[in-house]
Amino acid sequence: MSKKSFLAVERNLVLSAIDRRLFGSFIEHLGRAVYTGIFQEGHPSSDEDGFRKDVLELVRELDVPIVRYPGGNFVSNFFWEDSVGPLSERKPRLDLAWRTLETNRIGLDEFCRWAGKAGTDVMMAVNLGTRGISDACNLLEYCNVDASSRYASMRRRNGHADPYGIKLWCLGNEMDGPWQHGHKTAYEYGRLAAETAKAMKGLDPSIELVSCGSSNANMPTYPEWERITLSETYDLVDYISMHLYFGSERLDDMPSFLANSREMDDFIRTVTSACDYVKAVKRSPKTMNISFDEWNVWYHAKAHDDDKMANDPWTVAPPLLEDIYNFADALVVGTMLITLLKHADRVKVACLAQLVNVIAPIMTSKDGKAWRQTIFHPFRDASAFTSGGKVMYPISHGSRYSSKYFENVDTVESVAVLSGDEEIVTILAVNRDMEDTVELEVDLRSFGDKASVVFQSEMAGFSLDQVNGEDAEIVHPSQVRTAKVNGGKIVIPLKKTSWNVIRVQVG
Ligand code: AHR
């Protein structure tokens, strides 16, 4: 008998509207993300500012509403003043995080210009590693204040009359990590973040702030870190951050690797609980939301990177973290996107880490083209087809499996999103089964019996180790018409190891 999964979509059971910023991304001054990534003077596709137009086109295709900048670990020794002003006066600085030389040719004014061209907002991080409250406030003044004060005047002198009005700010990065320059205990960070938040919001009450959460669920201080830091910051910040990368830990068992998003789901549930615990202790009416501002798969280039940083430091924009993603990675990214959507009631911001060349959906060749990695496609599909919609309460059951590292995994991971105009239900689904097609039956009867499929695509039929390259983007979705409508029910055969999009007209 064929394997089956069921998904019921109940018209009145809306989990949450999707915050557009759930499909954010990240550019760090790391490797070739900036230099020979978004920016390359003299490249045939560069524009008048030196930004690569081929990259800009792919970023627009990905439809990214917000990009976190300038790090990451880089921010913990970032001296933002070095990155602004006349180019001839900018001094290179050693980047302690990645052991490279930062030329400061591109700084925050240029990045804001690039973001405008890419049609995306900036999410700015302040250095709470080697610097502190006053530098964070100076940066905020430079970016957002319209007064005759020192740093606002500096911005105007640098040619930017109007403030940038950057809304979302990270209070440092991964401050729980011993690798971080200026690493702190939970209590030290909580106090510093609270005082920085107080000063920054005093300067510009319109901003939103993200307090650092744990760098991953295996940190020895997790989840005490969340409890202790939030006890200090709860009333002053708007989000707590989460970061998660899936490495090679479960690669020895592919059914487990494909089930990795289970860990993401548990992690979100625990952090949400920690937030709600502090809310209760404080008798606070406020609900703390989550900024999942780094997530991805990351393992392919690690050995090369460790060797490069240890043995050949202080070079400019060397290739680092250039993971070449395969089809299995794209399926994991698909399940991570579905997991984020299923928590859209609490996860309001998320950033695929990163955007170009560094663990990225978009790659560039220095002397050639920009191209799409395998993971580009599930991200683009989710961003393009569900933004502006409402996630429907997940009601599903069906085929399950147990693997070396997980028990009772849903063979099909799926989510349904109703469009803002309530005309279309989009279903995103990954079939994790490595042998068989699984039939997904979607019950849409609460919308009446007029449902009709208006679009269907699948990314299927590739070997799990298939990658894309500059000359051959082999892994990509194809449109298909295999879904069958029966009254208000749709039956979709989901091929083995596949990423699927089905859009159904219901209005
Ligand atoms: O995204 C790469 C790095 O991963 C970031 O700099 C850091 O925040 C995380 O550890």
Short mmCIF file of all heavy atoms in Angstrom, two decimals, residues 26 28 30 68 71-74 98 173-174 179-180 243 245 294 298 321 353-354 358-359, ligand 1:
data_model
loop_
_atom_site.label_atom_id
_atom_site.label_comp_id
_atom_site.label_asym_id
_atom_site.label_seq_id
_atom_site.Cartn_x
_atom_site.Cartn_y
_atom_site.Cartn_z
N PHE A 26 21.50 37.85 5.11
CA PHE A 26 22.62 38.32 5.93
C PHE A 26 23.85 38.54 5.04
O PHE A 26 24.19 37.66 4.24
CB PHE A 26 22.85 37.23 6.98
CG PHE A 26 23.98 37.41 7.95
CD1 PHE A 26 24.48 38.65 8.28
CD2 PHE A 26 24.53 36.29 8.57
CE1 PHE A 26 25.51 38.79 9.20
CE2 PHE A 26 25.55 36.40 9.48
CZ PHE A 26 26.04 37.66 9.80
N GLU A 28 27.79 39.55 5.76
CA GLU A 28 28.83 39.86 6.74
C GLU A 28 30.11 40.22 5.98
O GLU A 28 30.34 39.72 4.87
CB GLU A 28 29.07 38.61 7.62
CG GLU A 28 30.18 38.79 8.65
CD GLU A 28 30.19 37.71 9.73
OE1 GLU A 28 29.37 36.77 9.65
OE2 GLU A 28 31.03 37.80 10.64
N LEU A 30 32.95 39.07 5.43
CA LEU A 30 33.53 37.74 5.65
C LEU A 30 33.79 37.15 4.27
O LEU A 30 32.88 37.16 3.41
CB LEU A 30 32.49 36.88 6.39
CG LEU A 30 32.84 35.57 7.06
CD1 LEU A 30 31.61 34.88 7.60
CD2 LEU A 30 33.71 34.64 6.31
N ARG A 68 20.75 41.54 7.25
CA ARG A 68 21.52 41.83 8.47
C ARG A 68 22.96 42.20 8.08
O ARG A 68 23.54 41.58 7.17
CB ARG A 68 21.49 40.59 9.36
CG ARG A 68 22.13 40.72 10.71
CD ARG A 68 21.69 39.52 11.56
NE ARG A 68 22.36 39.45 12.83
CZ ARG A 68 23.30 38.57 13.14
NH1 ARG A 68 23.68 37.65 12.27
NH2 ARG A 68 23.85 38.58 14.33
N GLY A 71 27.81 41.94 10.54
CA GLY A 71 28.15 40.63 11.08
C GLY A 71 27.10 40.31 12.11
O GLY A 71 26.24 41.16 12.39
N GLY A 72 27.14 39.10 12.63
CA GLY A 72 28.17 38.10 12.59
C GLY A 72 29.34 38.43 13.54
O GLY A 72 29.41 39.44 14.21
N ASN A 73 30.22 37.44 13.59
CA ASN A 73 31.40 37.56 14.44
C ASN A 73 32.19 38.82 14.10
O ASN A 73 32.85 39.40 14.98
CB ASN A 73 32.29 36.32 14.28
CG ASN A 73 31.59 35.06 14.77
OD1 ASN A 73 30.64 35.13 15.54
ND2 ASN A 73 32.05 33.90 14.31
N PHE A 74 32.15 39.24 12.85
CA PHE A 74 32.90 40.43 12.41
C PHE A 74 32.52 41.65 13.24
O PHE A 74 33.36 42.50 13.53
CB PHE A 74 32.62 40.68 10.92
CG PHE A 74 33.19 41.97 10.40
CD1 PHE A 74 34.52 42.07 10.02
CD2 PHE A 74 32.39 43.11 10.28
CE1 PHE A 74 35.05 43.26 9.53
CE2 PHE A 74 32.90 44.30 9.79
CZ PHE A 74 34.24 44.38 9.43
N TRP A 98 37.73 36.59 11.48
CA TRP A 98 38.03 35.67 10.38
C TRP A 98 39.49 35.77 9.95
O TRP A 98 39.89 35.20 8.95
CB TRP A 98 37.08 35.95 9.21
CG TRP A 98 35.66 35.85 9.68
CD1 TRP A 98 34.81 36.88 9.93
CD2 TRP A 98 34.94 34.65 10.01
NE1 TRP A 98 33.60 36.41 10.39
CE2 TRP A 98 33.65 35.04 10.46
CE3 TRP A 98 35.24 33.28 9.98
CZ2 TRP A 98 32.68 34.12 10.87
CZ3 TRP A 98 34.28 32.37 10.39
CH2 TRP A 98 33.02 32.80 10.82
N ASN A 173 26.46 40.19 18.81
CA ASN A 173 26.30 38.92 18.10
C ASN A 173 26.88 37.77 18.91
O ASN A 173 28.02 37.87 19.40
CB ASN A 173 27.05 38.99 16.75
CG ASN A 173 27.02 37.66 16.00
OD1 ASN A 173 25.96 37.25 15.53
ND2 ASN A 173 28.16 36.98 15.91
N GLU A 174 26.09 36.72 19.09
CA GLU A 174 26.56 35.47 19.72
C GLU A 174 27.48 35.73 20.92
O GLU A 174 28.58 35.20 21.02
CB GLU A 174 27.27 34.58 18.69
CG GLU A 174 26.32 34.08 17.62
CD GLU A 174 26.90 33.02 16.68
OE1 GLU A 174 28.11 32.81 16.68
OE2 GLU A 174 26.09 32.41 15.95
N TRP A 179 34.19 31.94 21.32
CA TRP A 179 34.94 32.40 20.13
C TRP A 179 34.74 33.90 19.88
O TRP A 179 35.47 34.50 19.10
CB TRP A 179 34.46 31.63 18.89
CG TRP A 179 32.99 31.78 18.63
CD1 TRP A 179 32.37 32.78 17.94
CD2 TRP A 179 31.96 30.92 19.10
NE1 TRP A 179 31.01 32.61 17.94
CE2 TRP A 179 30.73 31.47 18.65
CE3 TRP A 179 31.94 29.74 19.85
CZ2 TRP A 179 29.49 30.88 18.93
CZ3 TRP A 179 30.71 29.15 20.12
CH2 TRP A 179 29.52 29.72 19.68
N GLN A 180 33.76 34.49 20.55
CA GLN A 180 33.42 35.88 20.26
C GLN A 180 34.41 36.82 20.96
O GLN A 180 34.70 36.62 22.15
CB GLN A 180 32.00 36.17 20.78
CG GLN A 180 31.30 37.31 20.08
CD GLN A 180 30.99 36.97 18.64
OE1 GLN A 180 31.18 37.78 17.77
NE2 GLN A 180 30.54 35.73 18.40
N HIS A 243 20.14 31.27 16.62
CA HIS A 243 21.01 30.89 15.50
C HIS A 243 21.07 29.38 15.45
O HIS A 243 21.09 28.72 16.49
CB HIS A 243 22.45 31.41 15.71
CG HIS A 243 22.59 32.90 15.59
ND1 HIS A 243 23.79 33.55 15.72
CD2 HIS A 243 21.68 33.88 15.34
CE1 HIS A 243 23.62 34.86 15.56
NE2 HIS A 243 22.33 35.08 15.34
N TYR A 245 22.83 26.22 12.74
CA TYR A 245 23.35 25.66 11.49
C TYR A 245 23.38 24.16 11.64
O TYR A 245 23.81 23.64 12.68
CB TYR A 245 24.79 26.14 11.25
CG TYR A 245 24.91 27.63 11.02
CD1 TYR A 245 25.28 28.49 12.06
CD2 TYR A 245 24.68 28.17 9.77
CE1 TYR A 245 25.41 29.85 11.85
CE2 TYR A 245 24.80 29.54 9.55
CZ TYR A 245 25.17 30.37 10.59
OH TYR A 245 25.29 31.71 10.37
N GLU A 294 20.21 33.86 12.16
CA GLU A 294 21.17 33.06 11.38
C GLU A 294 20.65 31.64 11.33
O GLU A 294 20.45 31.02 12.39
CB GLU A 294 22.57 33.07 12.02
CG GLU A 294 23.29 34.39 11.91
CD GLU A 294 24.74 34.32 12.38
OE1 GLU A 294 25.39 33.26 12.25
OE2 GLU A 294 25.22 35.35 12.90
N TRP A 298 25.65 24.10 7.10
CA TRP A 298 27.03 24.64 6.99
C TRP A 298 28.00 23.55 7.40
O TRP A 298 28.09 23.23 8.57
CB TRP A 298 27.15 25.87 7.91
CG TRP A 298 28.53 26.46 8.08
CD1 TRP A 298 29.65 26.20 7.33
CD2 TRP A 298 28.94 27.42 9.06
NE1 TRP A 298 30.70 26.94 7.77
CE2 TRP A 298 30.30 27.71 8.84
CE3 TRP A 298 28.27 28.09 10.10
CZ2 TRP A 298 31.02 28.61 9.62
CZ3 TRP A 298 28.98 28.98 10.88
CH2 TRP A 298 30.34 29.25 10.64
N LEU A 321 34.16 29.87 3.85
CA LEU A 321 32.80 29.38 4.03
C LEU A 321 32.06 29.24 2.69
O LEU A 321 30.86 29.49 2.59
CB LEU A 321 31.98 30.31 4.96
CG LEU A 321 32.20 30.22 6.47
CD1 LEU A 321 33.59 30.61 6.89
CD2 LEU A 321 31.18 31.06 7.23
N ALA A 353 21.50 32.61 6.55
CA ALA A 353 22.90 33.02 6.63
C ALA A 353 23.71 32.13 5.69
O ALA A 353 23.78 30.93 5.92
CB ALA A 353 23.41 32.86 8.06
N GLN A 354 24.27 32.78 4.71
CA GLN A 354 24.22 34.20 4.39
C GLN A 354 23.65 34.38 2.98
O GLN A 354 22.98 33.46 2.51
CB GLN A 354 25.61 34.80 4.55
CG GLN A 354 26.11 34.67 6.02
CD GLN A 354 27.35 35.48 6.33
OE1 GLN A 354 27.81 36.28 5.55
NE2 GLN A 354 27.93 35.23 7.51
N VAL A 358 29.24 33.30 0.87
CA VAL A 358 29.54 32.75 2.19
C VAL A 358 28.32 31.96 2.66
O VAL A 358 27.28 32.57 2.91
CB VAL A 358 29.86 33.90 3.17
CG1 VAL A 358 29.95 33.40 4.59
CG2 VAL A 358 31.15 34.59 2.75
N ILE A 359 28.44 30.61 2.71
CA ILE A 359 27.28 29.75 3.03
C ILE A 359 25.99 30.38 2.46
O ILE A 359 25.07 30.72 3.19
CB ILE A 359 27.17 29.43 4.55
CG1 ILE A 359 27.42 30.65 5.44
CG2 ILE A 359 28.08 28.30 4.94
CD1 ILE A 359 27.18 30.40 6.95
O1 AHR B 1 27.49 33.14 9.53
C1 AHR B 1 28.79 32.78 9.88
C2 AHR B 1 29.07 32.98 11.36
O2 AHR B 1 28.31 32.06 12.10
C3 AHR B 1 28.67 34.31 11.96
O3 AHR B 1 29.66 35.27 11.79
C4 AHR B 1 28.50 33.99 13.40
O4 AHR B 1 27.57 34.82 14.03
C5 AHR B 1 28.09 32.53 13.41
O5 AHR B 1 28.83 31.78 14.30
#
